[in-house]
Amino acid sequence: MEQVSSNKAHGGEQNVYRHASTSTGTDMTFSVYVPPHEAGAKLPVLWYLSGLTCTHANVTEKGEFRAACAEAGVIFVAPDTSPRGPDVPDEDRYDFGTGAGFYLDATEAPWAQHYRMRSYVEEELPALIAAEFPMADIARQGITGHSMGGHGALTIGLRNPDRFRSISAFAPIVAPMQVPWGETAFTRYLGEDRAAWRAYDACALIDDGASAPELLVDQGLSDNFLGDGQLRPELLEQACERAGIDLTLRRQPGYDHSYYFISTFMADHIAWHAERLK
């Protein structure tokens, strides 16, 4: 594991690392903020998954999470959104290929060789964090994310209820099987069998029996992707009502899809996770 950068922030350390991933067959970069803590302390871990076109750097530079993490004593881990490199297949579009891994394990050629973000986020990177960061309490993990990353947070959290004590999201893609973004990506990554898509759709997972004690979601009402049908928070609302899951869906007037929106409510989410990770 190679350290790319290190900065002091709010009494803790904001570091960026690179390592050779066995899941993706590429080098992967991620950031970790470790808040100030006493020697020997064990701290809960909050995962943040970024959205389409992003890397680890978007939230690291614009998320405004460090003060809240320092106050709550929470480690903040932000991986990349997809594999990258000269040998990684890509297409000249923002919603598929590099920057658009959708946190799944692709099964179709040529994507299956490298696009294995589910394995990377669910298995490989947590094992690396546990091995390299002795202060990280892997028994206390929460997960959150934005847009495509919100989709990743919901689906990974719902598939792993014993691992994640808390799940939240900012403007998530909650039903990718029913919106253009997801239909494009799933057809190319996973093939035509829509039954195979259900493991990567939060609403379908809930209808198929996946559950969580509670979920927190923030959605800006001036989000342009809400208006064009890519985001369907009402479908998550309906699925949670059918399943008896306690969903707090906060519709925020005037807020869009940007990091101005995310950074405004980031501290709320960190405090919410910290309370559940005590």
Side-chain angles (χ1 to χ4, degrees):
M1 189 175 70
E2 172 193 359
Q3 187 175 73
V4 176
S5 64
S6 180
N7 297 93
K8 187 83 170 180
H10 294 278
E13 290 189 4
Q14 177 65 70
N15 294 328
V16 176
Y17 301 94
R18 183 185 299 116
H19 72 114
S21 168
T22 57
S23 299
T24 67
T26 67
D27 284 352
M28 295 294 292
T29 304
F30 64 95
S31 74
V32 181
Y33 177 69
V34 178
H37 60 280
E38 295 181 359
K42 300 288 282 187
L43 307 177
V45 178
L46 178 61
W47 297 85
Y48 178 93
L49 306 184
S50 293
L52 288 168
T53 76
C54 293
T55 71
H56 71 283
N58 296 75
V59 69
T60 304
E61 296 170 3
K62 298 185 289 187
E64 299 183 22
F65 56 85
R66 280 171 285 270
C69 285
E71 181 178 353
V74 172
I75 296 171
F76 192 96
V77 182
D80 202 347
T81 52
S82 67
R84 301 175 193 273
D87 298 326
V88 176
D90 190 18
E91 290 195 0
D92 188 20
R93 54 186 300 166
Y94 81 97
D95 59 350
F96 185 78
T98 300
F102 274 84
Y103 302 99
L104 52 75
D105 281 357
T107 57
E108 299 296 301
W111 317 104
Q113 181 179 358
H114 296 293
Y115 285 80
R116 298 182 52 79
M117 291 302 295
R118 173 180 180 174
S119 292
Y120 180 70
V121 173
E122 283 189 353
E123 300 170 13
E124 183 178 2
L125 189 54
L128 183 64
I129 294 297
E132 298 291 341
F133 296 86
M135 74 293 293
D137 186 354
I138 300 300
R140 292 186 291 155
Q141 296 185 72
I143 191 165
T144 187
H146 170 233
S147 194
M148 179 187 71
H151 138 77
L154 291 173
T155 55
I156 290 171
L158 287 166
R159 286 195 307 263
N160 297 276
D162 295 337
R163 182 180 302 178
F164 297 101
R165 294 190 188 181
S166 53
I167 308 168
S168 76
F170 301 87
I173 308 171
V174 302
M177 292 177 65
Q178 302 182 54
V179 303
W181 276 340
E183 289 180 349
T184 296
F186 288 4
T187 300
R188 304 291 298 283
Y189 287 138
L190 302 172
E192 298 290 345
D193 181 7
R194 295 180 70 90
W197 299 6
R198 299 185 69 83
Y200 301 107
D201 183 299
C203 292
L205 281 167
I206 291 170
D207 285 341
D208 291 346
S211 190
E214 55 187 332
L215 302 172
L216 171 64
V217 172
D218 271 296
Q219 174 63 62
L221 292 183
S222 293
D223 190 323
N224 57 306
F225 297 117
L226 184 65
D228 68 9
Q230 297 281 17
L231 307 176
R232 302 285 304 280
E234 74 280 359
L235 296 181
L236 181 64
E237 203 168 34
Q238 294 162 13
C240 288
E241 184 175 355
R242 290 192 296 269
I245 295 174
D246 182 8
L247 168 66
T248 300
L249 174 56
R250 307 194 305 184
R251 293 176 168 90
Q252 305 290 3
Y255 286 93
D256 58 16
H257 201 69
S258 72
Y259 268 87
Y260 295 109
F261 156 64
I262 298 165
S263 63
T264 298
F265 301 104
M266 179 66 84
D268 288 356
H269 282 242
I270 290 169
W272 185 87
H273 283 278
E275 180 65 26
R276 286 147 185 81
L277 296 175
K278 284 183 177 178

